[in-house]
Amino acid sequence: MLRHIFRVKTTVTLFHSITLRRAYHSEKGVFGYRPRPKRQFKVSDEILQSRNAQSNVYRWVEAYRKHGHKFANVNPISIKGPQSPLDELNPAFYGLEGKENVKPQGLLNAPELETTTTTVDELELLLKQIYCGNAVSAEFAYIEITNAFVTDSSSSFQNLKFLTDFSDTLYICDCLLMNFQDLEEREWLSKHFEQLKTQTVSNDTRKQIAELLIKSQAWDNFMAIKFPTVKRYGGEGAETLLAFFWQLLRDSVQVDLTHLVVAMSHRGRTALQTIMLNMRPAKVFRKLRGESEFPKDCQAMSDVISHFHTSEDLNVDGKAIHFTMVRNPSHLEAGNPVSMGKTRSKQQTVKDGSFNDDDPTMEFSSKVLNVILHGDAAFAGQGVNQECLNTAYVPHYEIGGSLHVLINNQVGFTTPGERGRSTDYASDLAKTIQAPVFHVNGDNPEMLIQVTKLAFAYQRQFRKDVFIDLNCFRRWGHNELDDPTFTNPLIRTIYLEYLNAELAVASEYEPEPSYFQKQWQHITSASSDCVTYWDTGLDYGLLNYIGQQSVTYPDSFNIHPHLQKIHIETRRNKLNAGEKIDWSTAEALAIGSLMYQGYNIRLSGEDVGRGTFSHRHAMLIDQQNNEMYIPLNDLKGGLGGKLEIANSILSEEAVLGFEYGMAIDNPDTLIIWEAQFGDFANGAQIIIDNFIISGETKWMDSNALVMLLPHGYDGAASEHSSCRIERFLQLCDSKECESDGDHVNVNIVNPTTPAQYYHVLRRQLLRNFRKPLVVVAPKILLRLPAATSTHVDFHGGTNFQNVLPDVTVQPNDVQRIILCSGKHYYALADERKAQQINNTAIIRLESLCPFPLLELQQQLAKYKNAKAFVWSQEEHRNMGAWNFVKPRFENLVGKPLLYCGRVEAPTSATGVGKIHKQEVEEVVCRPFQL
């Protein structure tokens, strides 16, 4: 690191220049994003003078703020010996002597010392009490220098001087290289943390917290006795967690929050739900006796008690607040991005933050707050947490900061903490976004209350993430098969009588429906035994208007000249002619028409505004001022739906989980996630498996999330050729020996025309039920001249067709039928034309799940003379749709099906160009030879 380079007088101009930041394609903001207001902050001249006059004392105080936490004893079961002394905490390191007098004003936030003089020894004792105590410690010194206070040369110098080594040379190289953060935050945190010791807890609060803790112990002990062989994931050792929620609820209603969205894993979950969130204990007991948590007429497969959901209107101190605890799978931390997405969806619904056009000053989390509870080993070990934190302040993913709590058991399953991570603290990942961390002794509920108030106040002040590291332990170990004994004070006795009464009625208790309520009340289950059709067409005059608007921009907007010619003018000409309508135009028509009907659309993923293949251009960028413009958001007429373009971070798991959270919250917003390439979906397999595919089956949580997965063997080798169709088909519940209906758990389509894509997108919201949709999306079809549609394909009365017929052959001449799906059709059609083959029909399966049995039978019935039936695919035999289609075709259609495609392989595509070319010739030519 370079040192002693810049003299004080030469730094000011440079500092002004390096604080300029590139805006996110907009200084004005677009739908769903508004630049954060610049904060003004200045340390008072009086404080600066004190710090400069006592610079060595101030450096010593700062050392405690930075290193004091290392010596704090906040672990209720700590067995480590005394720490080695640290030179930076020794006053002699700064040339200070014990009896020397100092004036703490401006150096330390101790009200009792504001106007007095004290000795170094007395100040040291106070610093140890604050930063090295046995109840709480803090980390926030890594929140670095801000650019908010750089207003003029004098203030720049004054604010910087006390942060340096106070020598003739200003050490600013670190400053130049760092990400500039708020000095205001550090000043605020030091002030409020140092004043914690002056806060008190009322006797009434103590009584209420004591009652909660007693109930928590009683609940866990009751469960241990009545259900001794069940893994309960109780809160023993972390009972003080209820004190956190008690304080959080009160702080929330005091600032008029309307919603809390919470992600929480297993530990202590049912205790919280039954004690504080109005869940009937009978529901838990009924489940543990082998019954479903849903009503008898519900077809859900259900889940374990540690995944139970809560959506409850609470009354706290006479005020209403809605508490939502999202579903969680056993895959730890996977529910976190879901809660973040659900939070943003609710913020959109209640017009929070940037969704509020009437109040441009409103910040996110003014009405809806996200709270995430982590396990210590899981927070440190699961990469989804890094991804989630990386989205915290990204436009279109920001939710105004989350409040985090680490339930620090100090062990992961049976792995000690020091073997479960490479960092000192389980919470160290928080430092990646410079979020403050408060370490609290889990056996001190009063201090947890105070820290909860402090963390909440920080989040409200700065709308940023903040962490509480609750140091506790697992009293009974992981398996919870011990037989604990317990005493019976009055509160516990009364509560146990209540639990026994609930246990007695558990067998007769009938759960109430918890689905298709509130914003979902106009949605129902897809119970049809057949596949229904929905009119998704519209008058082409309206569609032409929408399409023209999708490439219209203000006169003052500086469009890229290539985009003007290739994209804008070309689209306008195609729309006016009503012919050769391509993929991106059809998408714009689908999205714009849904917006016209009042639905909101969110398009998320890496580079989705432009499109991975530079085909979409749903957002335009002014070439001179970098401003973003989304043409469809200026659509005149209609019911006012909006389009949010969310260019995401380079993440799949967290981003897809975020989008799923939005999709399960609002059935009238179309959430579309596009993978940059289809194989990128494997980075989000946890979200796909545990939420999207199985969420309705387990929890009755419907969603209409769309996944666009570009797929196609174009010589791109293994990673970017296949979206692994076979994996999604394996995850669906389509029957091999029965016809499918709307009730299948997921729709999987491989469309071949733009109109088909248009219809399937519109169908997602126009049906009275919601299903996730996997679109095996194209690459070369985006611009293939043969893969276009005409205006008649979009007219009213048209819909998505599960099977596309062959209209180019005479049925009586056909002796061979080739079945295929997706872009492979065009290669087969070209080969048939080139070879002048007249006896072969090519039928496209546009829908794979539900399997289109009826439509397929109707098409096959035309070809009375067909003898051979071939499934042709470009994927390898152990991949693609072959193993899905074969048993259904043979069992339900009753005819043998031959295979033609690549041979079995362990990777999806070859990386050798010559071999790829040979394989292409084989899979295209051979189907006509069988």
Side-chain angles (χ1 to χ4, degrees):
M1 183 65 65
L2 298 176
R3 294 288 187 183
H4 302 279
I5 295 180
F6 301 100
R7 307 296 294 183
V8 171
K9 293 182 180 180
T10 65
T11 61
V12 175
T13 301
L14 179 59
F15 228 88
H16 276 290
S17 65
I18 63 174
T19 57
L20 295 177
R21 296 180 180 178
R22 180 186 174 106
Y24 173 72
H25 282 156
S26 179
E27 288 283 354
K28 301 175 182 177
V30 292
F31 179 72
Y33 167 70
R34 183 187 300 139
R36 282 196 175 206
K38 292 179 175 146
R39 304 177 68 94
Q40 299 297 322
F41 175 76
K42 183 178 182 295
V43 178
S44 71
D45 292 339
E46 184 180 16
I47 290 177
L48 288 177
Q49 290 171 3
S50 177
R51 293 177 182 178
N52 287 329
Q54 304 179 91
S55 59
N56 283 343
V57 181
Y58 184 67
R59 290 167 65 204
W60 178 45
V61 171
E62 283 286 277
Y64 265 93
R65 289 169 177 159
K66 183 176 182 180
H67 300 291
H69 62 90
K70 301 174 183 176
F71 299 87
N73 182 22
V74 297
N75 188 343
I77 57 170
S78 176
I79 58 174
K80 64 182 180 181
Q83 294 284 87
S84 301
L86 190 66
D87 286 343
E88 287 94 325
L89 299 186
N90 187 341
F93 187 76
Y94 306 92
L96 302 174
E97 297 180 357
K99 302 303 181 181
E100 183 179 345
N101 287 329
V102 296
K103 295 180 179 180
Q105 183 182 15
L107 308 182
L108 187 70
N109 297 280
E112 68 274 20
L113 301 178
E114 280 293 316
T115 59
T116 64
T117 299
T118 187
T119 65
V120 169
D121 285 342
E122 291 170 339
L123 184 58
E124 182 177 29
L125 180 61
L126 184 58
L127 287 169
K128 287 181 178 179
Q129 290 174 349
I130 293 173
Y131 285 101
C132 307
N134 59 7
V136 63
S137 65
E139 291 184 274
F140 55 81
Y142 44 78
I143 300 176
E144 294 169 343
I145 303 175
T146 184
N147 64 342
F149 57 83
V150 180
T151 57
D152 56 57
S153 59
S154 59
S155 64
S156 298
F157 169 69
Q158 286 183 330
N159 281 279
L160 284 171
K161 186 176 180 183
F162 66 83
L163 293 171
T164 67
D165 289 348
F166 300 95
S167 65
D168 291 338
T169 303
L170 183 59
Y171 296 169
I172 67 167
C173 285
D174 287 338
C175 302
L176 296 176
L177 298 175
M178 66 178 61
N179 226 355
F180 287 81
Q181 298 294 327
D182 275 342
L183 170 65
E184 180 187 2
E185 291 184 41
R186 286 177 57 184
E187 294 287 327
W188 189 96
L189 286 163
S190 61
K191 174 183 177 180
H192 288 80
F193 182 76
E194 289 161 9
Q195 292 178 352
L196 265 186
K197 63 184 181 63
T198 66
Q199 309 297 319
T200 59
V201 177
S202 69
N203 288 333
D204 182 63
T205 296
R206 290 190 178 102
K207 291 177 183 178
Q208 293 186 55
I209 297 302
E211 182 174 341
L212 288 174
L213 300 186
I214 291 171
K215 285 184 176 181
S216 178
Q217 291 178 339
W219 169 263
D220 286 326
N221 290 329
F222 183 87
M223 293 280 284
I225 291 175
K226 300 298 183 180
F227 303 97
T229 62
V230 174
K231 291 184 180 180
R232 306 171 305 279
Y233 301 103
E236 297 104 326
E239 293 89 348
T240 48
L241 184 64
L242 296 187
F244 162 78
F245 278 105
W246 184 91
Q247 186 62 52
L248 173 67
L249 287 167
R250 278 146 187 81
D251 288 341
S252 297
V253 297
Q254 285 178 9
V255 297
D256 296 324
L257 285 176
T258 59
H259 292 78
L260 287 176
V261 180
V262 178
M264 180 181 183
S265 55
H266 310 357
R267 182 141 157 75
R269 187 179 176 107
T270 57
L272 172 65
Q273 290 172 316
T274 55
I275 295 170
M276 295 186 68
L277 304 179
N278 300 335
M279 179 184 285
R280 287 282 302 273
K283 179 179 179 179
V284 178
F285 302 151
R286 170 187 167 90
K287 179 68 177 180
L288 293 177
R289 286 182 168 179
E291 300 291 336
S292 172
E293 67 270 29
F294 294 110
K296 292 180 180 179
D297 60 349
C298 178
Q299 299 300 312
M301 293 178 67
S302 304
D303 205 351
V304 295
I305 60 169
S306 54
H307 297 173
F308 274 6
H309 168 251
T310 293
S311 179
E312 190 73 21
D313 291 316
L314 303 178
N315 185 298
V316 181
D317 292 343
K319 293 186 176 182
I321 188 169
H322 187 78
F323 190 107
T324 299
M325 185 183 294
V326 300
R327 311 280 190 181
N328 64 306
S330 292
H331 209 294
L332 299 175
E333 309 291 319
N336 300 346
V338 176
S339 74
M340 295 169 68
K342 193 177 183 75
T343 298
R344 186 167 174 91
S345 177
K346 289 192 179 299
Q347 289 172 336
Q348 182 172 349
T349 298
V350 302
K351 300 186 184 306
D352 198 357
S354 299
F355 294 115
N356 192 315
D357 294 330
D358 297 328
D359 183 0
T361 65
M362 179 178 283
E363 298 180 90
F364 275 118
S365 78
S366 294
K367 297 181 180 179
V368 187
L369 176 63
N370 182 229
V371 181
I372 304 179
L373 279 71
H374 309 270
D376 52 320
F379 182 71
Q382 296 297 305
V384 68
N385 290 311
Q386 186 272 338
E387 295 182 26
C388 285
L389 292 181
N390 200 22
T391 67
Y393 311 126
V394 173
H396 304 289
Y397 296 89
E398 181 178 3
I399 54 176
S402 298
L403 178 55
H404 303 258
V405 179
L406 269 75
I407 306 177
N408 195 340
N409 302 312
Q410 307 181 70
V411 63
F413 195 67
T414 59
T415 302
E418 65 271 14
R419 299 185 185 182
R421 62 179 185 271
S422 297
T423 59
D424 291 335
Y425 294 112
S427 59
D428 279 348
L429 188 61
K431 297 174 183 176
T432 62
I433 59 169
Q434 301 198 31
V437 178
F438 302 106
H439 306 280
V440 189
N441 190 318
D443 277 356
N444 194 323
E446 291 187 24
M447 185 52 70
L448 178 57
I449 288 174
Q450 300 292 2
V451 168
T452 300
K453 293 169 66 175
L454 176 57
F456 185 85
Y458 170 86
Q459 192 279 329
R460 305 311 299 162
Q461 179 73 14
F462 299 102
R463 297 299 202 271
K464 296 178 106 175
D465 288 60
V466 58
F467 284 76
I468 297 173
D469 176 22
L470 183 62
N471 288 265
C472 50
F473 55 94
R474 283 207 301 254
R475 191 177 302 278
W476 304 115
H478 186 76
N479 288 330
E480 300 180 302
L481 298 183
D482 301 302
D483 184 11
T485 59
F486 58 94
T487 57
N488 290 286
L490 181 60
I491 295 175
R492 182 175 292 174
T493 300
I494 295 173
Y495 186 57
L496 288 176
E497 290 175 355
Y498 166 68
L499 294 180
N500 276 308
E502 286 288 293
L503 181 62
V505 302
S507 57
E508 289 81 30
Y509 170 73
E510 287 294 333
E512 297 180 356
S514 58
Y515 39 88
F516 301 132
Q517 297 179 347
K518 295 185 176 179
Q519 70 266 34
W520 284 84
Q521 61 185 348
H522 62 292
I523 303 298
T524 185
S525 295
S527 57
S528 175
D529 291 333
C530 62
V531 177
T532 56
Y533 288 87
W534 300 79
D535 183 356
T536 48
L538 285 171
D539 177 79
Y540 187 72
L542 174 60
L543 292 178
N544 187 15
Y545 161 70
I546 292 171
Q548 298 289 346
Q549 179 60 50
S550 72
V551 287
T552 298
Y553 53 87
D555 294 338
S556 60
F557 193 86
N558 300 286
I559 196 72
H560 192 289
H562 182 75
L563 207 59
Q564 171 70 35
K565 180 179 179 181
I566 300 301
H567 177 69
I568 295 175
E569 293 180 4
T570 300
R571 174 172 293 183
R572 287 173 175 167
N573 293 336
K574 290 178 179 179
L575 287 167
N576 287 333
E579 296 179 352
K580 299 181 180 180
I581 297 173
D582 60 16
W583 212 271
S584 66
T585 302
E587 180 184 78
L589 297 181
I591 289 174
S593 60
L594 287 171
M595 294 168 61
Y596 194 86
Q597 293 176 272
Y599 297 104
N600 291 321
I601 314 292
R602 176 180 166 92
L603 182 57
S604 166
E606 295 150 19
D607 303 315
V608 292
R610 181 201 68 173
T612 296
F613 309 101
S614 195
H615 66 287
R616 178 175 291 123
H617 300 293
M619 53 174 266
L620 306 176
I621 306 299
D622 191 298
Q623 298 301 295
Q624 292 187 11
N625 61 23
N626 203 47
E627 279 293 325
M628 179 196 300
Y629 179 68
I630 301 174
L632 282 174
N633 279 337
D634 276 346
L635 193 65
K636 302 299 187 295
L639 299 179
K642 291 293 186 180
L643 169 62
E644 183 173 20
I645 302 291
N647 284 325
S648 76
I649 65 171
L650 194 65
S651 157
E652 283 76 46
E653 182 178 359
V655 169
L656 186 57
F658 192 103
E659 306 310 326
Y660 171 80
M662 295 199 72
I664 60 172
D665 184 70
N666 192 334
D668 296 326
T669 296
L670 183 61
I671 307 296
I672 305 173
W673 177 73
E674 182 177 63
Q676 203 165 61
F677 290 91
D679 61 298
F680 282 21
N682 57 25
Q685 202 66 48
I686 292 169
I687 302 299
I688 294 168
D689 289 352
N690 288 287
F691 292 102
I692 297 170
I693 296 296
S694 60
E696 184 176 20
T697 306
K698 290 189 294 186
W699 309 315
M700 292 300 293
D701 279 351
S702 296
N703 78 90
L705 177 69
V706 178
M707 289 184 283
L708 305 181
L709 308 179
H711 173 94
Y713 283 55
D714 307 322
S718 57
E719 268 68 39
H720 292 337
S721 293
S722 175
C723 73
R724 295 292 189 176
I725 301 172
E726 64 278 1
R727 290 181 181 171
F728 291 97
L729 292 174
Q730 185 184 35
L731 291 171
C732 75
D733 60 355
S734 169
K735 305 293 190 296
E736 289 188 2
C737 298
E738 299 177 18
S739 60
D740 289 336
D742 288 337
H743 51 69
V744 293
N745 65 324
V746 59
N747 293 164
I748 304 171
V749 300
N750 194 359
T752 58
T753 72
Q756 284 283 83
Y757 179 48
Y758 158 89
H759 286 298
V760 81
L761 286 182
R762 283 182 48 77
R763 189 180 69 175
Q764 283 297 96
L765 294 189
L766 296 186
R767 298 187 292 196
N768 63 353
F769 60 88
R770 299 290 182 260
K771 291 289 180 181
L773 171 65
V774 176
V775 179
V776 181
K779 293 184 287 184
I780 66 168
L781 297 193
L782 295 174
R783 295 181 176 86
L784 189 69
T788 58
S789 300
T790 67
H791 65 94
V792 296
D793 300 320
F794 300 89
H795 284 178
T798 56
N799 52 52
F800 178 78
Q801 298 180 58
N802 295 314
V803 173
L804 285 183
D806 191 333
V807 297
T808 64
V809 294
Q810 295 297 321
N812 291 335
D813 296 337
V814 171
Q815 297 181 352
R816 180 192 300 109
I817 295 177
I818 298 176
L819 304 175
C820 67
S821 185
K823 71 106 170 170
H824 187 51
Y825 161 77
Y826 292 97
L828 293 173
D830 287 345
E831 178 66 17
R832 180 177 62 178
K833 182 178 180 180
Q835 299 297 327
Q836 298 183 349
I837 298 172
N838 299 316
N839 67 346
T840 301
I842 306 175
I843 298 177
R844 288 171 270 178
L845 270 62
E846 302 282 289
S847 169
L848 294 169
C849 180
F851 186 71
L853 175 62
L854 177 61
E855 298 89 335
L856 186 57
Q857 289 174 327
Q858 291 172 343
Q859 292 302 317
L860 295 177
K862 300 177 182 178
Y863 307 106
K864 306 297 185 182
N865 299 322
K867 301 288 193 299
F869 302 88
V870 180
W871 173 258
S872 180
Q873 66 179 34
E874 57 181 355
E875 299 85 7
H876 292 280
R877 184 169 185 145
N878 57 318
M879 304 172 194
W882 162 246
N883 288 314
F884 179 85
V885 172
K886 175 181 168 58
R888 286 161 180 78
F889 186 86
E890 294 185 343
N891 294 339
L892 300 173
V893 178
K895 299 180 183 295
L897 189 64
L898 302 175
Y899 172 79
C900 190
R902 286 172 168 84
V903 298
E904 294 87 348
T907 186
S908 59
T910 181
V912 181
K914 290 183 178 179
I915 296 177
H916 170 73
K917 185 176 180 180
Q918 293 171 0
E919 290 178 343
V920 169
E921 293 175 355
E922 172 73 10
V923 298
V924 171
C925 297
R926 193 162 177 268
F928 298 98
Q929 300 168 359
L930 296 177

